[in-house]
Amino acid sequence: MLNKEIYQADQDTAWCPGCGNLPLRNVLADVLAELELSPTDVAMFTGIGQAAKMVHYIKVNGLNGLHGRALPPALGMRIANHKLKVIVESGDGDTYGEGGNHLLHNIRRNPDIAHFVHNNQIYGLTKGQASPTTEEGTTTTVQPNGITAKPFNPIKFAVAMEASFVARGFVGNQEQLKELMKEALNHRGYALIDILQPCVSFNKLNTYQWYSKRVYQLDEQYDPTDYQAALQKAEEWGDNIPTGVIYRNERPIFRDKFPQLDDNTPLVEKEINPKELSELVDEFK
């Protein structure tokens, strides 16, 4: 196993003491070390938000892009070089709000990308506006009369879309989260983990204590390949919140549909003949 310290580029962070991002970063470093992935073997993509700062604090190849737009460049990297492990780290607002359209089409295309969503049910970077997953009725400084919209259910959405890997984790159960992240990184296809991660500054409802009373780990009897069972589990929220792999299925991945993206030589390593490009350009003159 590699030394996890090699991934922690900066021990100091801008996150609040007690923020769920801190244990999440620690788990991620453990996972990379135990999978023996060197920093040059991994590419991480983020958008905007507190979760998106992860790319600043983990020492791997990284790109910090636009709000909600982490998935498109991640897919580009996956097409260019399938030898890298590609990770997207984003928050609930960045993924289910601004990035919702990209999430939808990424599930359809099924590229092998591991997507870790830090779901704290609030916009933390901009100090506490409701996000798509904020509980109905919650009051914030921006919505003093309470949220009137039903919260988005990312697990139900992803299962209904038949995403090839759908899981939920909780930073209060780091051992389970570590195994889920390993499985996601080794999954052939798009792997979504919705990670319950309390915001200690701006979400006073969904705290560590609130989750600890409610989350439970799916047992070995649960079959994640059962679509109907997964839809039922996706509905569970409130007094009982299941964690683990909710749904899994085998589907062709994005590269399988393009013979030029074969498994032998990454696109980035293939030779380019400039004369062939000239002929292509000439066709459009």
Side-chain angles (χ1 to χ4, degrees):
M1 186 176 82
L2 298 177
N3 182 352
K4 64 181 287 184
E5 297 300 319
I6 65 173
Y7 307 103
Q8 305 207 31
D10 187 346
Q11 296 297 324
D12 297 323
T13 75
W15 293 324
C16 303
C19 173
N21 285 329
L22 294 164
L24 208 164
R25 180 180 77 149
N26 192 51
V27 171
L28 179 59
D30 277 339
V31 167
L32 296 175
E34 291 183 20
L35 291 179
E36 298 191 339
L37 294 167
S38 78
T40 56
D41 292 333
V42 180
M44 179 182 290
F45 296 83
T46 69
I48 298 296
Q50 293 291 359
K53 293 178 180 174
M54 185 66 82
V55 75
H56 304 171
Y57 307 135
I58 288 285
K59 190 178 180 182
V60 297
N61 300 298
L63 183 132
N64 194 184
L66 301 175
H67 207 353
R69 305 293 185 265
L71 281 167
L75 176 58
M77 176 58 77
R78 170 53 59 229
I79 293 170
N81 189 355
H82 65 266
K83 289 186 176 179
L84 292 176
K85 290 288 185 185
V86 176
I87 298 173
V88 169
E89 297 264 353
S90 57
D92 43 302
D94 194 54
T95 307
Y96 307 137
E98 285 82 358
N101 185 50
H102 297 298
L103 173 68
L104 186 161
H105 295 293
N106 198 69
I107 291 174
R108 291 176 53 232
R109 293 173 179 132
N110 198 32
D112 37 2
I113 291 172
H115 191 173
F116 305 140
V117 181
H118 306 208
N119 186 357
N120 57 22
Q121 299 171 262
I122 208 78
Y123 279 92
L125 183 69
T126 45
K127 304 189 185 307
Q129 297 100 321
S131 83
T133 56
T134 303
E135 301 279 355
E136 187 174 3
T138 301
T139 58
T140 75
T141 53
V142 183
Q143 293 99 357
N145 296 322
I147 308 305
T148 57
K150 287 175 63 68
F152 177 71
N153 182 334
I155 300 295
K156 186 177 180 181
F157 174 80
V159 172
M161 287 284 294
E162 298 187 61
S164 60
F165 183 98
V166 185
R168 176 187 284 129
F170 170 47
V171 292
N173 186 346
Q174 295 183 32
E175 284 305 311
Q176 184 201 31
L177 181 58
K178 187 165 67 175
E179 295 308 312
L180 290 174
M181 293 172 95
K182 284 183 185 176
E183 195 169 346
L185 281 164
N186 287 326
H187 176 71
R188 194 170 189 271
Y190 174 64
L192 172 70
I193 306 182
D194 187 68
I195 302 171
L196 303 175
Q197 174 259 303
C199 172
V200 295
S201 294
F202 299 109
N203 187 338
K204 303 301 183 185
L205 171 64
N206 307 111
T207 62
Y208 286 97
Q209 294 77 13
W210 189 92
Y211 283 121
S212 295
K213 291 178 182 175
R214 291 165 172 80
V215 296
Y216 74 94
Q217 193 167 328
L218 290 169
D219 60 32
E220 295 180 356
Q221 303 302 315
Y222 177 74
D223 178 8
T225 66
D226 185 332
Y227 179 72
Q228 293 301 325
L231 282 176
Q232 289 181 3
K233 282 297 169 193
E235 290 278 6
E236 286 189 26
W237 184 264
D239 291 338
N240 297 293
I241 302 173
T243 60
V245 180
I246 307 289
Y247 183 62
R248 180 172 52 223
N249 75 78
E250 293 186 7
R251 290 170 43 199
I253 63 170
F254 185 83
R255 282 187 297 114
D256 291 341
K257 300 172 183 177
F258 298 90
Q260 62 272 39
L261 303 177
D262 60 75
D263 283 346
N264 296 321
T265 307
L267 202 60
V268 70
E269 295 178 7
K270 291 186 177 179
E271 292 187 9
I272 297 175
N273 184 344
K275 289 183 179 179
E276 293 179 354
L277 293 176
S278 298
E279 292 172 1
L280 185 64
V281 170
D282 288 342
E283 286 186 20
F284 291 92
K285 285 184 178 178

